[in-house]
Amino acid sequence: MDELTLSVVGIDFPNADRSKSNRRMELLLCAPGEPVDLRSEPKNPHDANAVAVFSARGIQMGYLSAERAPLIGRRMQQEEHVAVFQALTGSMGYVRIRFGGGAPSLPNPEAPTPARSRAATFDPDAFYPDPEGPEWGA
């Protein structure tokens, strides 16, 4: 896994800064491909593995999901990485990260998505592991 898309969660919570900056508004101001800063927060009182996402303007946009943060945080400490804003879709923001050098490539938003089989159904309560994740299914 050298490159992947990660969801940004908590975008509707206010920031703790004095101006109470708005995370969703900051996401709306970002253009696809704009650099973002991922910062580990080992002293976060809710999750020692938390990874915060900041815009190029230094405004927090949210956090990486709790499921991905431990793996991404470890890799960030061990490898060179670059992250960019990918998109805001409904209530989710997305960033793209690349490990090992180079800039992440953004997927073509106009490319057709593969057709799903009619037999396949989506179960919102099921767990779908990333096929490129570690053997424990992160």
Side-chain angles (χ1 to χ4, degrees):
M1 158 184 67
D2 291 324
E3 192 170 313
L4 70 148
T5 296
L6 301 164
S7 59
V8 180
V9 299
I11 67 172
D12 289 319
F13 288 96
N15 284 328
D17 57 5
R18 289 184 180 179
S19 63
K20 299 288 186 207
S21 55
N22 186 302
R23 294 176 181 184
R24 181 176 290 274
M25 179 56 105
E26 192 61 25
L27 282 161
L28 287 166
L29 293 173
C30 289
E34 185 176 311
V36 296
D37 187 21
L38 303 180
R39 301 178 192 171
S40 295
E41 291 188 349
K43 295 183 180 179
N44 185 304
H46 303 288
D47 183 359
N49 294 312
V51 176
V53 181
F54 287 81
S55 71
R57 291 167 290 284
I59 306 294
Q60 185 176 5
M61 300 187 298
Y63 288 92
L64 297 184
S65 67
E67 294 81 16
R68 293 287 185 196
L71 171 67
I72 300 303
R74 271 195 312 277
R75 288 203 63 189
M76 285 171 44
Q77 292 174 349
Q78 299 167 352
E79 300 177 50
E80 179 184 350
H81 63 279
V82 175
V84 297
F85 175 75
Q86 182 172 331
L88 174 65
T89 307
S91 63
M92 266 315 202
Y94 297 95
V95 295
R96 186 93 173 154
I97 188 169
R98 179 175 181 85
F99 290 100
S105 59
L106 293 176
N108 181 356
E110 297 181 16
T113 56
R116 274 192 139 173
S117 165
R118 289 192 173 255
T121 59
F122 176 74
D123 179 0
D125 297 320
F127 176 72
Y128 298 95
D130 185 346
E132 294 182 358
E135 63 279 355
W136 44 269

